[in-house]
Amino acid sequence: MSTPARPANRHHKRPRGEGQWALGYREPLNKNEENKKNDDGLNVRQRIIDVYSKRGFDSIDPADLRGRFRWFGLYTQRRPGIDGGKTAILEPEELDDRYFMLRVRIDGGQLSLEQLRVIADISNEYGRGTADITDRQNIQLHWIEVEAVPDIWERLEAVGLSTMEACGDTPRVILGCPLAGIDADEVIDGTAQIHEINERYIGSPEFSNLPRKFKSAISGCSAHCTVHEINDIAFVGVVNDQGEQGFDVWVGGGLSTNPMFAKRLGAFVRPEQVHEVWAGICGIFRDYGYRRLRHRARIKFLVSDWGAEKFRKVLETEYLSYELPDGPAPEVPRGGRRDHVGVHPQRDGNFYVGFAPKVGRVDGDKLHQIADIAERHGSTRVRTTVEQKMVILDVAPDQVESIVKELEAADLQVNPSTFRRQTMACTGIEFCKLAIVETKATASDLIDELERRLPDFAEPLTINVNGCPNSCARIQVADIGLKGQLVTNDKGEQVEGFQVHLGGSVGLNPNFGRKVRGLKATAEELPDYVERVVRNFEKQKNEGETFSEWVQRADEADLK
């Protein structure tokens, strides 16, 4: 006798999707998606101008304050006096101050002296003199009141700058090599492609509601300074077998709590196709990206699940309607450091001068000083870098010695120590609502102490200091990555400290570093710890061996 069939479960539910629009999941699956469906973030601009700037902070709708304001580069900053232990337990309104961080979008890091001076004036008049150069080539100001925002926008826009889509679930600033168009060794100048994407798509409702942030880079730099390996989308300059200049496409890089390296699509993109391919990939993210859970809403998760082959096929068939030819991988990056600090020749016979503000922290007066120094030496252009540094372009040979002296006198070092050159820090608890520990001052003090203790150390060594697990300062790909957390000191007290990541790298041998069990340091212990591990590296390294390579083979005892 056969077994009777089991009755269908009438209560069986359709498997819950990931919120992918292309698969029919258009209903919002979380509060963020609901807010975006209710009103496009771009629409908040007019409310800021017409309502909030006139009626003040208390008039701001919470959905705008902690959501749509980001579409125009505005975040409430952290209320002073709230320690790191309360970061994760207080409600947003308890963490919010009545002031804002404002992020000025600087695509490609390109600034005229006029633009730099306008930012400096805004900093001094409205931001208490604050200014930080970020590792995505932007400049961030603090202490901004909503009443000042319309005037700030008017001043920025008068010189061709903007805060539009500097934050939010949007295509954020497009990274570019600060030497684009002038470097004798560059593969291709990506400036035109950055400008075209900006003009066509930034501020367009077509891409103003993405699952989450979308980070782009377009560069032909032979040093690979825009770290294409960890961007959502990157176009890297290459030359194909026919001698044509173009770009290799990488998709799905990102760090934070689930770090992933970008994958090559293996396609050769001609310069005139870049904007179409960028829009196609951005469209895939918009339509197929995971919207149900915020922590899985980055394009890296989609790329990881699909793989590069499927991703490329969907791009070509559904978004481009043409196939892209296969192309070569980028050449190995030149040099041991992927920045542009120091004095170097341009292709036109002039020189560029890259200098190192300490951990990207400057101020309004310092920005004016930089503009004045550049102008006195015949330059009209400056650039920001992805390492929180700056570059002055177009310095005539007979002006180099003089400009270096002036910059050094202003504590803008052209020939900095390794520690000053290669230490970065995120905003930290001073202003950031996500942070657990202080970063800028901690990193600055660490630089001073290491310069005193290790004055002759000259090997490349990146030290990246982050105030929380989100990796804004790229801790997983640093030689020494420091992730802020509260730790217990030898007295049993809970104090600011860091989990240590060692030996991260990008380039020829990319990896996310090594976490040694139990390896943590208080902020006070950092100089002793870094000195100890650097001295061990100096004693044990083989000829030509990098810090990252040494870490992979070192005994744990030598890393503690």
Side-chain angles (χ1 to χ4, degrees):
M1 183 176 178
S2 62
T3 303
R6 298 178 64 185
N9 183 355
R10 295 181 182 178
H11 301 289
H12 177 73
K13 294 181 179 178
R14 179 187 178 195
R16 183 161 55 162
E18 292 281 2
Q20 295 164 282
W21 286 1
L23 301 185
Y25 293 99
R26 299 292 302 212
E27 282 305 306
L29 295 174
N30 59 55
K31 188 67 175 177
N32 296 87
E33 289 300 311
E34 184 179 327
N35 287 341
K36 289 187 289 182
K37 183 178 181 180
N38 289 343
D39 190 29
D40 193 307
L42 295 175
N43 294 335
V44 80
R45 174 186 169 94
Q46 210 56 45
R47 289 195 290 278
I48 292 173
I49 294 170
D50 295 339
V51 181
Y52 303 142
S53 67
K54 292 179 169 61
R55 298 181 186 174
F57 185 88
D58 291 332
S59 70
I60 304 171
D61 184 317
D64 285 344
L65 181 65
R66 300 181 192 96
R68 301 181 191 100
F69 267 46
R70 299 176 185 182
W71 271 243
F72 284 88
L74 290 158
Y75 281 88
T76 49
Q77 62 190 43
R78 188 188 191 93
R79 185 177 298 174
I82 300 175
D83 65 56
K86 296 178 180 175
T87 295
I89 61 176
L90 293 180
E91 294 298 320
E93 57 269 20
E94 296 176 283
L95 285 167
D96 285 333
D97 202 358
R98 299 171 69 86
Y99 299 93
F100 294 88
M101 178 276 284
L102 180 137
R103 183 177 296 160
V104 181
R105 180 183 182 122
I106 306 172
D107 290 276
Q110 300 185 0
L111 287 169
S112 68
L113 298 191
E114 181 184 26
Q115 290 172 326
L116 185 62
R117 286 181 170 127
V118 165
I119 296 172
D121 285 339
I122 293 169
S123 166
N124 283 338
E125 291 181 40
Y126 294 122
R128 302 188 187 180
T130 56
D132 287 332
I133 303 162
T134 76
D135 61 3
R136 292 197 66 79
Q137 298 183 289
N138 299 309
I139 294 179
Q140 292 183 174
L141 312 178
H142 294 279
W143 300 108
I144 302 298
E145 296 178 295
V146 71
E147 291 87 347
V149 171
D151 184 54
I152 291 172
W153 284 342
E154 191 173 321
R155 294 191 192 195
L156 291 173
E157 289 160 12
V159 293
L161 291 173
S162 172
T163 69
M164 184 163 55
E165 296 187 336
C167 313
D169 296 350
T170 66
R172 299 191 182 183
V173 67
I174 305 171
L175 300 185
C177 176
L179 310 184
I182 68 163
D183 186 1
D185 295 325
E186 79 177 346
V187 178
I188 187 171
D189 179 359
T191 302
Q193 286 68 43
I194 292 174
H195 288 168
E196 186 167 22
I197 290 169
N198 199 300
E199 290 167 9
R200 283 176 178 266
Y201 304 116
I202 303 307
S204 165
E206 186 177 0
F207 298 122
S208 61
N209 181 356
L210 300 177
R212 277 201 72 189
K213 67 183 80 169
F214 188 72
K215 297 181 177 182
S216 308
I218 302 174
S219 174
C221 174
S222 59
H224 297 181
C225 70
T226 57
V227 284
H228 59 272
E229 301 95 332
I230 54 173
N231 278 274
D232 293 300
I233 178 174
F235 294 85
V236 187
V238 293
V239 178
N240 68 12
D241 293 340
Q242 290 72 48
E244 291 180 279
Q245 293 176 319
F247 295 91
D248 189 44
V249 191
W250 295 59
V251 182
L255 298 178
S256 193
T257 52
N258 288 283
M260 300 182 194
F261 286 117
K263 292 180 168 59
R264 283 189 65 229
L265 297 190
F268 181 77
V269 180
R270 294 181 173 84
E272 65 274 11
Q273 296 173 312
V274 168
H275 75 91
E276 295 175 342
V277 174
W278 181 93
I281 292 171
C282 196
I284 291 176
F285 182 40
R286 176 195 62 208
D287 301 337
Y288 286 98
Y290 304 148
R291 293 175 180 263
R292 182 168 67 88
L293 301 173
R294 291 287 285 178
H295 69 270
R296 274 181 53 82
R298 297 292 298 274
I299 197 173
K300 64 186 178 183
F301 293 100
L302 181 67
V303 174
S304 177
D305 290 347
W306 278 9
E309 185 178 350
K310 177 179 177 180
F311 194 98
R312 178 174 169 180
K313 184 176 181 180
V314 171
L315 171 65
E316 292 173 338
T317 56
E318 296 186 27
Y319 291 83
L320 296 179
S321 299
Y322 59 82
E323 292 187 1
L324 295 164
D326 292 341
E331 296 286 334
V332 174
R334 64 167 169 80
R337 292 180 170 95
R338 292 168 71 165
D339 63 16
H340 299 294
V341 174
V343 178
H344 303 278
Q346 299 178 181
R347 65 171 61 156
D348 62 2
N350 290 320
F351 289 81
Y352 69 85
V353 181
F355 56 92
K358 198 180 288 184
V359 294
R361 176 138 287 180
V362 286
D363 55 43
D365 290 344
K366 187 69 73 176
L367 294 178
H368 269 302
Q369 190 174 18
I370 292 166
D372 292 344
I373 291 172
E375 188 172 50
R376 278 196 293 275
H377 294 85
S379 173
T380 61
R381 302 187 293 170
V382 298
R383 298 289 184 262
T384 54
T385 83
V386 302
E387 306 291 336
Q388 300 180 337
K389 309 298 185 287
M390 292 188 75
V391 180
I392 295 174
L393 306 184
D394 310 324
V395 179
D398 63 355
Q399 296 291 311
V400 169
E401 184 178 353
S402 174
I403 197 171
V404 170
K405 285 182 179 178
E406 281 208 49
L407 288 167
E408 296 276 353
D411 196 28
L412 299 166
Q413 295 182 13
V414 178
N415 299 293
S417 70
T418 284
F419 305 116
R420 174 123 173 200
R421 178 172 182 170
Q422 294 195 274
T423 298
M424 296 198 306
C426 73
T427 300
I429 202 170
E430 181 181 11
F431 296 119
C432 178
K433 293 181 295 183
L434 300 177
I436 301 167
V437 303
E438 207 288 322
T439 54
K440 290 287 189 184
T442 298
S444 184
D445 292 345
L446 178 63
I447 291 168
D448 292 341
E449 195 63 25
L450 292 174
E451 287 178 339
R452 185 181 69 80
R453 299 185 189 192
L454 299 162
D456 300 321
F457 183 79
E459 298 284 335
L461 184 81
T462 53
I463 303 175
N464 295 12
V465 185
N466 218 80
C468 78
N470 287 328
S471 201
C472 295
R474 311 201 297 257
I475 52 171
Q476 291 102 329
V477 292
D479 288 313
I480 301 176
L482 302 169
K483 182 176 77 174
Q485 57 183 227
L486 297 179
V487 302
T488 303
N489 66 13
D490 54 10
K491 298 177 183 177
E493 301 165 329
Q494 199 173 56
V495 296
E496 291 191 355
F498 298 89
Q499 183 186 65
V500 182
H501 297 241
L502 292 170
S505 63
V506 290
L508 196 57
N509 299 300
N511 70 78
F512 290 125
R514 179 176 173 184
K515 285 189 285 188
V516 178
R517 185 181 299 275
L519 179 52
K520 298 176 183 177
T522 68
E524 189 177 349
E525 293 168 340
L526 269 185
D528 290 342
Y529 169 72
V530 176
E531 178 189 12
R532 186 165 62 247
V533 76
V534 168
R535 289 194 185 278
N536 288 340
F537 165 62
E538 286 190 298
K539 290 176 191 172
Q540 299 177 14
K541 69 183 176 71
N542 298 321
E543 185 175 352
E545 188 174 35
T546 66
F547 183 87
S548 177
E549 291 165 343
W550 170 73
V551 165
Q552 304 315 313
R553 67 173 180 81
D555 292 336
E556 285 201 359
D558 294 320
L559 301 177
K560 291 188 173 181

